[in-house]
Amino acid sequence: MEISALIKKTAAETRSPEDTALVWPNLVYIELISILLATAVLLFLSLVSPAPLEELASADTTPNPTKAPWYFLGLQELLVYFDPWLAGVVLPSMIIVGLIVIPYVDPNPNGKGYYTFSERKFSVLGFTFGLALWYILIVIGVWFRGLDWSWYWPWSDSSIHMSVTAVKLVDLELIIQNMFGLSADPVMTLGRYAPTVSNIITVLLFLGYYAVGFTIPFLLLRNFFNQLGMIRYNLVMFFFLSMCGVPLKMFLRLIFNIKYLLVTPWFKI
Amino acid sequence: MKEIIAKIVKLITDNQVYRSVFRHGFPTTDANRALVMFSNVILHLHPVRVRRGALKIRFTWCLGGLTFFFFIMLAITGVFLMFYYVPDTRRAYNDIKDLGTVIYFGSLFRNMHRWAAHAMVLSVWMHMTRVFLTGSYKPPREFNWVVGVLLLVLTLVLSWTGYLLPWDQLALWAVTVGSKMAEATPLLGNAGPFGQEIGMTPANDVRFVLLGGTVVGQSALLRFYVLHCLGLPLVSAVLMAVHFWRIRKDGFSGPL
Ligand code: HEM
């Protein structure tokens, strides 16, 4: 094959030939060096810090605490605040789907191919927020959780059980019921579901969170809405509000000792 | 001196054997540098020329490439480990012990495999972060982002399935915690919302499918082993091929 023809062909493929460089040696050498460095680091780590091997697996003795691998400890930490169907299944699925839709819900043509914050503030902030949440939860799970999944500071004695200060967790619906002196009798029955007035209020509050969250930007940031259009706007807001809901629920739990925001016979949130 | 080197080069390259393997001279001229890229199947993952922006280390931080490198490293060390490991609950633990005590370079390979796995998880997260922050998922690269997300999930699942194989307490209980969550899947898990309403029991739900039983036992070990050593790496390799192919077709998003 004609060498010059080949080179011309590839030069035509790249848009501005004067701004291009040959992959060999430029890129290939960078790759070679980074591979060598990575190998050196791996070798070093392997020599100073061997892979762990504990006792033979036994169904009879449950270790305390039982920890998932570090990259899943964020999700395990969520178990403190959410039931397993949410922490272990629905939230991770929403993270995955949420990541997948990102390119389709971000119509902003700016900031393609270079680092910028000022040209895409909302998306960078939103993404960084989620990322920070993920890493913070992992750090807590790895370094701050010990026996019985209690909080241990790095300087606490990790072999002694924390004296559990008995915090009583209450459901939001009970708080509302007592605060306003509402009746504890169901107002209706739909199969297994027999809600009280306060239960219905919690349902409305829960839906209200999303309703208000969807409406406010629509009213106040009409530009934002117009840029996205109906479908994108709803997707973005759904994932964004759900993401914000996670630390919100954690906050309510930690400050007000609220166990569940919403209780139904089938699931609790 | 130059002449001697030239003579040696000629000696190496100017014969039928060399020319049957490499269809170009040493890559010291632009023409040969282009030919290297064309005629070598591995290097052919690259184009011949890239835009200068793509070369900036502080643009990619080499993270995608490093993720791929860790994957290769895992494949190589993994094959070595497979020679010594039998996925039998009565043997597995001792096989891993042997790697650390009686097999030459056993612990080195096991440690490398472990560290490369950690490194791959971390680097795939950081690669995703870089791709997001440079806005490289924007058209026409939307689909490659989707492929990337699938690769990310696969990387995590690969790591997790490998975690069970040493069959020690760490392994058993980490996987038990994980499979407890599967049980809570809405509709498909026996402890999940609406699970029992549609007839899920511990013996037919999604956790049962995952573990091949109601507890983490021999069937679970075998399933995780097959997925870890065969199924998931194959799927990952196919998706990586798509990922790289797309990068070649769409060009690189880097700055000019
Ligand atoms: C096993 C996992 C993965 C491997 C081996 C891999 C490999 C690569 C490589 C080698 C590149 C070339 C540029 C670079 O090194 O940064 C690249 C680019 C890219 N990757 Fe990945 N990647 C993986 C996962 C992901 C993930 C999780 C995402 C996003 C969610 C992603 C999205 C992209 C996109 C959109 C590009 C094009 C970037 C551009 O043109 O600037 N990849 N990938």
Side-chain angles (χ1 to χ4, degrees), chain B residues 59-60 62-68 71 120 124 127-128 130-131 134 136-137 141 144-152 155 240 243-244 247 251-254:
Chain B
F59 183 73
T60 65
C62 298
L63 285 166
L66 281 177
T67 310
F68 183 53
F71 181 75
M120 186 174 169
V124 76
H127 172 59
M128 177 179 77
R130 163 331 249 172
V131 171
T134 58
S136 303
Y137 57 81
R141 298 184 186 77
N144 219 15
W145 169 272
V146 176
V147 174
V149 175
L150 298 179
L151 280 169
L152 174 106
T155 306
M240 278 181 207
H243 198 63
F244 299 156
I247 298 167
F252 199 72
S253 76

Side-chain angles (χ1 to χ4, degrees), chain A residues 39-51, chain B residues 105 107-112 115:
Chain A
T39 312
V41 171
L42 286 184
L43 272 171
F44 175 76
L45 288 171
S46 303
L47 293 176
V48 296
S49 169
Chain B
F105 297 113
S107 57
L108 180 67
F109 271 82
R110 175 162 181 247
N111 295 345
M112 290 284 274
W115 276 110

Side-chain angles (χ1 to χ4, degrees), chain B residues 224-243:
Chain B
F224 277 48
Y225 174 78
V226 173
L227 286 176
H228 184 76
C229 302
L230 193 75
L232 298 170
L234 269 182
V235 180
S236 306
V238 170
L239 284 179
M240 278 181 207
V242 176
H243 198 63

